[in-house]
Amino acid sequence: MITFLTRSAAALAAVVGLGAGAPSGAPVPPAGPKLYIVNQSAASITVVDQMKLTVDTVLDLKTMGFTGNAKPHHVVVEKDGSYWYVSMIGDGRVVKFDRNNKVVGQVRMETPGLLAIDPMHDSLYVGRSMTAVNPPKSLAVIKRSDFTMVEEQEIQVARPHALLATRDGKWVHTASLAENRIASVETATGHVTLTTLSGTTRSLVQFAQSPDGKTMVVGGEISNSLLIFDLTKAPPFVPVAEIPLAGKPWDPMFSADGKTVFVTLFGGNGVAVVDVKHRKVLRTITGDLAQPYDLILRKDGKMLFVVNQNTGALKPGESAHDHMPGMAGMANMNPSDGWLSIIDVKKGKVVKTLMLGTGPTGMGAAGAR
């Protein structure tokens, strides 16, 4: 049971010192906000300046006390950029960095995967890596302020992957890669509610929620569909719509007005632009995209950043999950470097690319989700 989720956001700010490392009211660094992109197969992290559209620095984790098999997988960033967090599958830990890219805390756990910051409580939730065939059926709950493990919350679903903390801090949702199930944890009580989806196997990869917190979407990699849920109703859920979306939908993200969802298509080498209200695909952006994975929309809505794994085309019938660096089927493959595609949203085309390391996966930015 999650036991400490009682502090208000204001109390959290007082405890954590949101903005620690920079005085209250400090101006945004002139170089602009940063993107943190992990290169899973290279044990490195690329930091990109969102305004200059250039690489700011590359952190070699091997020089920071981690192994060459660290496998950094996902990143989330505090809203004010004061701290950021990385899951490391190979080294079995979650690491806390400050805005100066210094390690200030570590927590050990088995096969950490996706991360989610609770916007209302002092909690960081950690799922499990998809490279783990039979990971624990639980989520880790880490106290962000002193960076200690609180507990591992049992959630009763196999291979939990997609992860989302609601904007009101009342729920944490995680979905299974192996089953048509969503586990919803009520943060005040630790009670778990299970949703079982009828019909074909979906293999739900990652959630996104609308800016007003009322709508949630998730892509089904196997079903080639995008599911839409009404978050104003308590779980168990029934999808309000399921849109066909070919190309193995992977990571979604809403526009600032909540009307549009951008979705990477891992197998389709594109980014789908979906009209949420009318439940239809408006267009698919292609070109300079290869196995696109994570994506983030810049706050001004003008630029969309997309991580490309560049692992080669999928074989007919192959799961995208099995096409990830570290999976058994990729053991004999020498992974190539991936890159970051920068899409001008208005033009609907890639306007710049930046080379990353091998096997880039997750990407984080302050206030991005």
Side-chain angles (χ1 to χ4, degrees), residues 23 27 31 35 42 57 76 99 112 138 153 183 200 242 274 281 299 311 314 333 341-342 367:
L35 279 176
T57 188
V76 290
R99 67 166 79 240
S138 60
Q153 164 81 44
T200 187
E242 185 167 6
V274 178
V281 179
K299 278 189 175 181
T311 50
L314 276 68
M333 179 178 175
S341 296
I342 303 172

Side-chain angles (χ1 to χ4, degrees), residues 102-272:
K102 293 184 178 179
V103 175
V104 295
Q106 300 182 41
V107 170
R108 292 182 179 274
M109 66 172 286
E110 183 178 342
T111 60
L114 296 183
L115 307 169
I117 289 177
D118 187 324
M120 301 301 290
H121 305 99
D122 190 8
S123 305
L124 174 69
Y125 306 111
V126 188
R128 304 292 176 175
S129 167
M130 67 170 56
T131 60
V133 176
N134 187 27
K137 296 179 179 179
S138 60
L139 298 176
V141 184
I142 295 173
K143 188 177 181 181
R144 305 204 310 273
S145 53
D146 60 11
F147 217 61
T148 55
M149 176 73 81
V150 176
E151 66 178 326
E152 298 197 35
Q153 164 81 44
E154 185 178 354
I155 41 85
Q156 305 172 29
V157 299
R159 298 190 72 192
H161 191 263
L163 185 64
L164 182 144
T166 57
R167 300 196 188 283
D168 60 9
K170 293 182 178 179
W171 295 94
V172 182
H173 305 300
T174 185
S176 171
L177 289 173
E179 307 169 336
N180 276 347
R181 302 180 88 185
I182 298 171
S184 301
V185 184
E186 187 179 30
T187 59
T189 65
H191 178 72
V192 178
T193 301
L194 296 178
T195 294
T196 300
L197 303 172
S198 61
T200 187
T201 300
R202 271 62 166 229
S203 196
L204 304 173
V205 179
Q206 178 58 320
F207 295 119
Q209 63 184 317
S210 58
D212 63 8
K214 295 181 178 179
T215 304
M216 180 173 75
V217 299
V218 61
E221 185 258 305
I222 300 297
S223 58
N224 284 309
S225 61
L226 184 74
L227 293 84
I228 302 176
F229 296 93
D230 181 358
L231 285 186
T232 66
K233 299 178 180 177
F237 295 121
V238 175
V240 297
E242 185 167 6
I243 305 169
L245 187 57
K248 297 192 177 296
W250 203 255
D251 191 42
M253 185 167 186
F254 277 86
S255 60
D257 61 10
K259 295 180 179 178
T260 303
V261 172
F262 301 93
V263 188
T264 51
L265 304 174
F266 188 90
N269 295 333
V271 175

Side-chain angles (χ1 to χ4, degrees), residues 286-344:
T286 58
D288 292 319
L289 295 162
Q291 293 79 55
Y293 199 91
D294 206 353
L295 81 170
I296 280 179
L297 183 65
R298 201 169 70 182
K299 278 189 175 181
D300 62 11
K302 295 180 179 178
M303 296 293 172
L304 186 65
F305 303 101
V306 182
V307 167
N308 294 273
Q309 287 218 312
N310 188 30
T311 50
L314 276 68
K315 300 174 183 176
E318 183 180 19
S319 165
H321 300 150
D322 295 331
H323 209 72
M324 299 291 141
M327 300 302 284
M330 301 290 282
N332 297 322
M333 179 178 175
N334 185 22
S336 302
D337 284 350
W339 64 84
L340 181 71
S341 296
I342 303 172
I343 295 174
D344 183 311

